[in-house]
Amino acid sequence: MSWQTYVDEHLMCDIEGQAGLRLTAAAIMGHDGSVWAQSANCPQLKPNEISGITTDFEQPGHLAPTGLFIDGQKYMVIQGEPGAVIRGKKGSGGVTIKKTGQALVFGVYEEPVTPGQCNMVVERLADYLIDQGM
């Protein structure tokens, strides 16, 4: 299965069988920030934003004082799993990023998608990739 298929069929899919309820954007990237696959409207991360995310996975809490930036947009860092998941909130939306052995799986959402639904979609795919040694 191609990386784009993972994004299209597992990240940008209908959530909980509800037609049209889906993430706003999604991507799978290497730890170095190289894009493996992404949705058409995915925000583009700048090198310093990727560096901040990578540092936060290595040093949990690194982004909390300054916020998480994605394509210049600031997200408040909220509860995640140190070293494994970073979650951010911005207005009525947010982002979930989960680290696998080789990749970062991103999901961006806006209402009516809830933070929990975004977490479920992103983390389910990332857990599958971890199980596959990715």
Side-chain angles (χ1 to χ4, degrees):
M1 188 179 311
S2 77
W3 291 113
Q4 192 61 49
T5 303
Y6 283 116
V7 169
D8 295 342
E9 295 182 7
H10 297 280
L11 294 175
M12 297 301 294
C13 59
D14 289 339
I15 298 172
E16 297 173 351
Q18 298 182 45
L21 184 65
R22 56 183 56 184
L23 299 179
T24 305
I28 301 173
M29 307 173 104
H31 289 175
D32 62 357
S34 60
V35 176
W36 294 1
Q38 64 186 4
S39 62
N41 57 344
C42 192
Q44 302 304 302
L45 277 85
K46 297 167 178 53
N48 62 323
E49 295 170 343
I50 294 164
S51 174
I53 291 166
T54 302
T55 301
D56 196 79
F57 279 121
E58 295 166 0
Q59 302 167 23
H62 169 77
L63 291 174
T66 59
L68 164 65
F69 285 84
I70 296 178
D71 199 20
Q73 299 293 311
K74 183 177 181 178
Y75 292 77
M76 178 178 62
V77 177
I78 57 175
Q79 164 256 337
E81 297 172 32
V85 179
I86 299 170
R87 297 186 181 111
K89 184 88 172 117
K90 177 180 178 288
S92 63
V95 62
T96 302
I97 308 165
K98 180 149 183 174
K99 181 180 180 183
T100 73
Q102 299 175 25
L104 301 174
V105 181
F106 286 77
V108 178
Y109 68 93
E110 289 291 336
E111 285 184 340
V113 174
T114 66
Q117 289 169 322
C118 181
N119 296 343
M120 178 192 64
V121 170
V122 170
E123 294 178 37
R124 182 173 23 192
L125 177 59
D127 289 342
Y128 170 79
L129 295 176
I130 289 167
D131 289 347
Q132 299 304 308
M134 307 288 236

